[in-house]
Amino acid sequence: MKIFIDTANVEEIKNAYALGIVEGVTTNPSIIAREGKKFEDAIKEISGIVGDETYIFGEVIGLEADKMVKEAHEISKLHKKMIIKIPMCAEGLKAVSLLKKDGIRTCVTLCFSAGQALLASNAGAAFVAPFLGRVDDIGWDGLQLVSEIAEMFAVQDIKTQIVAASTRNPLHVIGLAKCGCDVATVPYKIIMQMIEHPLTRDGLQKFLKDWESVPKN
Ligand code: E4P
């Protein structure tokens, strides 16, 4: 399963990218707003860090299909492997199918049901983004949702990739990998939590301490 980083923070992207484990960067309007930069500037800066071959996801703001399509064409010019996030709605599906004909790859975002995911794939989306954390937040089961979509796509041999969003902890990421999800987009904090383990830290300290007693000459 691929890991993308869910941030527009330049330091976080630089640090995560240097680890060699990140294959994409996802943003949304809230993530961009946190950085206090113009959208175009933020995307260009990220593009400069990750290079041409890494996916960057940027979202349209328009609510009508024609506006989404126009915005998508503009956003696509900012980075070679740009994926356009389109909100799940009737106008969004229309935009996805029009953009597919134009050769622009899309991700249907704000997906909260298997039915929405199926329609996104039928419209021609390259990615669909179920928000598992927000499903958990209302007392439902986000991993169950992603698992259902993964099973449905496998049975139907659907090529749309699932990029699970709104991940909140390492257990989400492990659960996603086990259920056959294609991509987990995760905040920087989760990547750090996945790296660290108290037994790894203690084990390393012991190795270094014991090494002091090894004769050196
Ligand atoms: C992807 O970029 C999604 O918009 C994002 O993961 C949503 O996360 P949140 O539910 O923590 O805001």
Side-chain angles (χ1 to χ4, degrees):
M1 183 180 72
K2 294 188 186 75
I3 304 271
F4 291 176
I5 186 162
D6 199 23
T7 184
N9 182 277
V10 165
E11 286 312 308
E12 290 182 348
I13 293 168
K14 276 185 191 159
N15 291 344
Y17 197 65
L19 300 173
I21 55 158
V22 170
E23 296 179 57
V25 179
T26 54
T27 72
N28 64 28
S30 309
I31 287 171
I32 295 287
R34 281 205 283 276
E35 300 310 310
K37 295 172 188 164
K38 276 176 65 185
F39 173 75
E40 291 77 8
D41 294 344
I43 298 295
K44 280 185 196 160
E45 204 173 355
I46 296 168
S47 178
I49 297 165
V50 300
D52 279 355
E53 295 308 318
T54 301
Y55 288 116
I56 301 178
F57 287 55
E59 191 157 339
V60 297
I61 299 300
L63 294 177
E64 294 86 28
D66 57 340
K67 286 191 184 145
M68 292 180 192
V69 168
K70 197 161 173 275
E71 266 185 81
H73 278 273
E74 288 306 311
I75 297 173
S76 289
K77 292 176 191 157
L78 300 173
H79 178 71
K80 186 178 163 202
K81 280 182 95 172
M82 194 80 211
I83 304 292
I84 308 300
K85 288 174 82 176
I86 306 276
M88 178 65 210
C89 58
E91 288 295 303
L93 292 176
K94 216 187 285 179
V96 166
S97 61
L98 290 168
L99 287 165
K100 170 127 201 223
K101 289 183 194 124
D102 294 342
I104 290 181
R105 302 186 80 203
T106 56
C107 170
V108 171
T109 187
L110 290 167
C111 171
F112 293 96
S113 75
Q116 289 179 331
L118 183 62
L119 295 181
S121 72
N122 286 355
F127 294 88
V128 62
F131 279 34
L132 75 156
R134 293 194 196 182
V135 171
D136 286 1
D137 289 346
I138 60 161
W140 292 29
D141 187 343
L143 276 174
Q144 171 57 35
L145 167 65
V146 180
S147 183
E148 192 181 9
I149 297 169
E151 186 186 346
M152 179 176 72
F153 281 11
V155 167
Q156 295 288 332
D157 197 23
I158 288 170
K159 302 299 179 209
T160 301
Q161 292 191 59
I162 306 167
V163 51
S166 188
T167 50
R168 298 276 158 79
N169 54 59
L171 289 178
H172 271 164
V173 183
I174 295 158
L176 290 168
K178 284 163 74 175
C179 81
C181 184
D182 301 287
V183 185
T185 186
V186 301
Y188 182 70
K189 183 180 152 200
I190 296 184
I191 295 176
M192 291 301 120
Q193 287 174 335
M194 289 172 75
I195 291 172
E196 282 157 24
H197 194 288
L199 294 179
T200 306
R201 189 193 55 226
D202 294 351
L204 180 58
Q205 273 171 2
K206 184 166 185 340
F207 283 158
L208 293 176
K209 182 86 190 123
D210 290 346
W211 185 251
E212 287 171 13
S213 66
V214 174
K216 306 297 184 308
N217 311 310

